[in-house]
Amino acid sequence: MKNVWNIALAACIGVLIGFVFGKQVGGKGGTPLRLAQAAAVPTPAAAVAPQGSETIYKVALGDAPQKGDAEARVTIVEWSDFQCPYCGRVIDTLKQVEKSYGSDVRFVFKHNPLPMHPDAPYAAKAAVAAQKQGKFWQMHDKLFEANNTRQPDSLKQEKVDQMARDIGLDMERYQRDVNAPETAQVIRDDSAQALKLGANGTPAFFIDGAKISGALPFESFKAVIDAQMRRANAALTAGVAKKDLYESLVKDGQSGPPAAPPQAAPQATVRNVDPGEGPAIGGKKPKVTIVEWSDFQCPFCGRVEPTLKQILTTYKDDVRIVWRNEPLSFHPNAMPAAKAAMAAAKQGNDKFWKMHDLMFANQSALSEAKYEEWAKEIGLNLPKWKADKESPEVIAAITKDSAYGTQMGADGTPSFFINGKFISGAMPFETFKPVIDEQIRKADELLKKGIKHEKLYQTLVDDNVKGAGTTAQAAAPGEEQKFEVQAGGSPAMGAKNAPVTIVEWSDFQCPFCGRVEPTLKQVMTSYGNKVRIVWKNQPLSFHPNAMPAAEAAMAAYEQGNDKFWAMHGKLFEKQNELSPAYYEQAAREIGLDMAKWKASVASHKAQASIQADMAAGNAVGANGTPTFFINGRKLVGAMPFESFKQIIDAELASKVAKK
């Protein structure tokens, strides 16, 4: 099964993505404001500031929408996502901040729609369009009011458009602005700034440059605001003008998270990849060739575009990126977009990249009408383009790319091979950098030895293949391949010394993962202490509840292995009811420490471990769910008990299992 996410991080997120979608913070989960007021509990005299808030970052405001006095002593810059439940949850806290501090605080809003929220990008565009008519905050409030209803369709395009009508926008101008490339660029720029600052989860705040993450309670904000208020007062006393105060307070701040210590290039799966003759951008005689399999409708493929641009800007002629098509079947616009782009390529490499950029700038607007509009915009010969778009030659080229990608192991998007070294997913620049640096160093050594440039790529790939520590053990004739799969510190059930270990990559919203659960229970009942099952997270991007459910389960795991499996059971028991409200209900029912669990979920603390699971899964080809490795022997899908039994019995009879 092909899937779009393939985000392997080293981080969501980092975050994630390095993408890490959120950071660990101190403090407890917040009580809703109305309950706090009803309880009438006095605020502690000395609230503790969240971990990390002592560091000041240099955060540029740009043209972002603002609310409050421009000369306020404290400026709160928020990165948010209109579909994020935690961003909705923190709204009451921000209102309490506004009420408590009045004109001493101003708010600045930045966009960071996360890829697991399918309706967030359009909502962000709508807010930008409203901003152009001076009504950003009205639209902001409408969007979060809808978000907080927790209805699955509350932010669908037609409902967002109705909000625009309700606040009195000029709808003709609104529609034009929503679909404008500049609007998408505003959002990409905000997201890129968040990534650079290490604020990849939502909500994330910088209070006069002091960073805090998550839907924290008022007390956590108060501790940081009061500290920054003291800084502001000191600066004013020293003679800083009010109009220059914010810039003065952040001018010496860090431009990003502290640099990690230098690391060796990560181990990677390596393939002898033929770049082909497809569209390419970058150096004519590169030292590094990056072959990319991508899909124009894939949100992660769009998310990685700024990273690829950063690579080209940083390495200039030393790097070339080659495009190969992988339109995924569950993206209805992906194949038509690929045909439109490859038809543009027939009229020149530069025409492909212009079409490519327009498609990624307007992912939510992909349609035949738009392809034709863009074809005219970039100056294509329209009759020729139309004919090429539907020609057997173009369709065959796309199909060939996709088939070859599957053969190479690029069965999700985006997938990259850097001189043959595989990186999967919308990874940050920091993930690509050590691999590229290593390859440039090796290329320089080969060129000094007299290797001709036309042979450089293949020489480097051959050397990488030869020197790779493969993730798979070589299979003897007649035997199937075995994979080296590490259980690590993941949730597990069964005896630790069991002779058979089943490592499962799964997704709480995947119907096939739910379907196989009775089979796994039958396995444990039948084999007892002879079998151990290890859970790995693989939340697929087209399942919007999968990532939040994984975070909820891993937050439960922090309180014990048994708590994870109790939450696991609850989540699969009611797959069709997955929601933040249900996760909280389940957490209470299984007896979790709710304050600790809420704090973990709100801060996206589990994102790093989830993304590590995803990366490890990608490395061994666990790109769909469920995927199992039974003592390293791969079994894909919701297979019947007999399929598991055959492999388990063979392993129990093997010499390895008897040791």
Side-chain angles (χ1 to χ4, degrees):
M1 173 181 176
K2 291 184 176 182
N3 55 74
V4 61
W5 47 269
N6 280 352
I7 286 188
L9 179 59
C12 239
I13 291 182
V15 4
L16 170 260
I17 357 168
F19 268 96
V20 179
F21 279 141
K23 299 292 182 182
Q24 179 176 351
V25 296
K28 296 183 178 180
T31 301
L33 174 59
R34 58 186 179 278
L35 296 183
Q37 291 172 331
V41 177
T43 302
V48 178
Q51 179 182 345
S53 62
E54 66 280 358
T55 301
I56 301 299
Y57 292 82
K58 186 175 183 179
V59 182
L61 304 183
D63 297 323
Q66 301 183 20
K67 179 170 63 171
D69 190 339
E71 295 184 351
R73 287 185 288 173
V74 173
T75 295
I76 301 176
V77 185
E78 174 189 10
W79 266 270
S80 191
D81 168 320
F82 289 110
Q83 199 176 1
C84 163
Y86 308 106
C87 299
R89 187 176 299 172
V90 82
I91 290 293
D92 281 348
T93 300
L94 297 180
K95 288 179 179 177
Q96 188 177 2
V97 168
E98 185 176 15
K99 181 178 179 181
S100 299
Y101 290 94
S103 62
D104 281 336
V105 170
R106 69 168 164 168
F107 298 88
V108 178
F109 188 95
K110 301 257 186 179
H111 301 276
N112 195 14
L114 301 183
M116 74 280 288
H117 295 149
D119 297 326
Y122 188 81
K125 289 181 180 181
V128 174
Q131 181 187 352
K132 291 178 182 293
Q133 297 188 44
K135 294 190 175 183
F136 170 84
W137 292 103
Q138 292 95 316
M139 179 61 85
H140 165 282
D141 292 348
K142 286 278 189 183
L143 291 167
F144 276 123
E145 284 172 13
N147 174 16
N148 285 336
T149 67
R150 300 291 188 266
Q151 297 300 312
D153 63 344
S154 61
L155 291 177
K156 293 300 181 187
Q157 182 172 336
E158 61 274 13
K159 293 199 173 183
V160 172
D161 290 346
Q162 184 58 50
M163 295 176 203
R165 295 186 188 93
D166 292 344
I167 65 173
L169 294 184
D170 177 333
M171 291 306 293
E172 183 177 344
R173 181 182 175 189
Y174 165 82
Q175 292 292 351
R176 187 169 62 248
D177 288 337
V178 160
N179 295 311
E182 309 86 70
T183 296
Q185 190 61 49
V186 168
I187 297 165
R188 282 199 300 274
D189 288 347
D190 280 359
S191 295
Q193 186 185 9
L195 177 61
K196 184 178 179 182
L197 291 165
N200 302 305
T202 57
F205 303 90
F206 290 84
I207 302 176
D208 278 350
K211 179 182 173 185
I212 66 174
S213 298
L216 299 181
F218 174 75
E219 289 74 23
S220 297
F221 280 86
K222 184 179 189 302
V224 180
I225 292 171
D226 289 349
Q228 296 311 311
M229 197 77 76
R230 290 191 288 272
R231 285 183 67 225
N233 290 337
L236 292 170
T237 301
V240 174
K242 285 186 176 181
K243 66 181 180 64
D244 300 324
L245 180 59
Y246 177 74
E247 292 299 328
S248 175
L249 292 173
V250 301
K251 67 182 176 64
D252 296 324
Q254 294 184 180
S255 58
Q263 297 180 352
Q267 288 293 320
T269 299
V270 183
R271 295 285 185 269
N272 191 343
V273 176
D274 177 5
E277 301 297 327
I281 190 169
K284 301 298 182 186
K285 292 185 176 181
K287 298 171 184 176
V288 175
T289 295
I290 301 175
V291 184
E292 173 191 11
W293 268 269
S294 191
D295 166 321
F296 287 109
Q297 196 178 355
C298 160
F300 301 104
C301 300
R303 172 78 55 143
V304 82
E305 280 296 303
T307 299
L308 299 179
K309 287 182 172 62
Q310 186 178 359
I311 288 170
L312 292 171
T313 300
T314 302
Y315 293 99
K316 299 181 172 60
D317 290 342
D318 282 341
V319 170
R320 175 179 69 143
I321 297 175
V322 180
W323 172 277
R324 301 202 78 152
N325 294 284
E326 183 77 331
L328 302 181
S329 60
F330 46 84
H331 287 154
N333 295 320
M335 176 60 87
K339 292 194 295 182
M342 294 306 288
K346 300 283 284 183
Q347 298 186 41
N349 185 66
D350 63 320
K351 300 295 188 185
F352 169 86
W353 290 103
K354 288 179 180 178
M355 182 67 83
H356 163 283
D357 290 349
L358 283 166
M359 287 180 171
F360 278 123
N362 299 277
Q363 272 193 314
S364 64
L366 297 179
S367 67
E368 292 293 347
K370 283 294 182 182
Y371 308 146
E372 185 168 340
E373 176 187 321
W374 298 331
K376 293 176 183 176
E377 182 179 329
I378 65 178
L380 295 181
N381 177 327
L382 211 59
K384 175 174 169 47
W385 173 77
K386 287 182 178 180
D388 286 337
K389 184 162 64 76
E390 303 303 331
S391 69
E393 180 184 355
V394 163
I395 294 171
I398 295 169
T399 303
K400 181 180 178 181
D401 275 357
S402 184
Y404 186 54
T406 299
Q407 180 184 338
M408 290 295 103
D411 46 1
T413 58
S415 289
F416 305 91
F417 290 88
I418 304 176
N419 285 356
K421 289 197 165 189
F422 182 52
I423 288 182
S424 178
M427 306 300 289
F429 177 76
E430 290 72 20
T431 299
F432 286 87
K433 187 177 187 301
V435 184
I436 295 172
D437 290 345
E438 174 205 38
Q439 293 304 300
I440 290 176
R441 177 184 57 76
K442 291 174 71 173
D444 287 338
E445 292 174 357
L446 289 171
L447 291 169
K448 286 179 182 178
K449 292 178 181 178
I451 294 292
K452 299 296 183 184
H453 197 280
E454 56 268 24
K455 294 184 178 180
L456 181 61
Y457 173 76
Q458 195 58 54
T459 303
L460 285 163
V461 171
D462 289 344
D463 184 65
N464 289 334
V465 170
K466 181 180 178 181
T470 179
T471 57
Q473 301 169 351
E479 292 182 355
E480 65 182 284
Q481 191 178 55
K482 275 197 171 186
F483 292 81
E484 294 179 0
V485 179
Q486 302 299 318
S490 300
M493 67 165 63
K496 289 184 178 180
N497 61 348
V500 174
T501 295
I502 302 175
V503 182
E504 171 191 10
W505 268 270
S506 191
D507 166 320
F508 287 110
Q509 196 177 356
C510 162
F512 305 104
C513 301
R515 189 175 299 170
V516 82
E517 280 297 303
T519 301
L520 297 178
K521 290 177 181 175
Q522 186 177 358
V523 166
M524 293 303 293
T525 300
S526 300
Y527 289 95
N529 289 336
K530 294 179 181 178
V531 170
R532 181 176 184 233
I533 295 178
V534 177
W535 172 274
K536 299 283 187 179
N537 292 286
Q538 192 73 300
L540 304 182
S541 64
F542 47 88
H543 290 153
N545 296 319
M547 179 64 82
E551 290 185 296
M554 295 307 288
Y557 183 49
E558 292 176 30
Q559 299 186 39
N561 185 66
D562 61 324
K563 297 299 186 183
F564 169 85
W565 291 105
M567 178 65 81
H568 165 284
K570 291 283 187 182
L571 295 174
F572 277 123
E573 179 183 332
K574 296 190 176 180
Q575 271 192 314
N576 295 330
E577 298 180 23
L578 297 180
S579 68
Y582 179 68
Y583 310 145
E584 186 167 334
Q585 174 189 327
R588 294 185 187 281
E589 289 176 357
I590 66 175
L592 294 181
D593 177 328
M594 292 304 294
K596 181 178 178 182
W597 179 81
K598 285 182 179 180
S600 178
V601 171
S603 65
H604 305 288
K605 185 178 178 181
Q607 279 289 343
S609 67
I610 293 169
Q611 294 300 327
D613 281 358
M614 294 165 74
N618 292 336
V620 291
N623 300 313
T625 56
T627 297
F628 305 90
F629 292 86
I630 305 174
N631 279 6
R633 296 169 68 174
K634 189 175 180 180
L635 182 65
V636 179
M639 305 301 287
F641 174 75
E642 290 71 24
S643 298
F644 286 86
K645 184 177 188 301
Q646 182 179 359
I647 300 175
I648 294 170
D649 288 348
E651 287 299 308
L652 290 173
S654 71
K655 292 180 180 179
V656 173
K658 289 179 179 178
K659 286 183 179 179

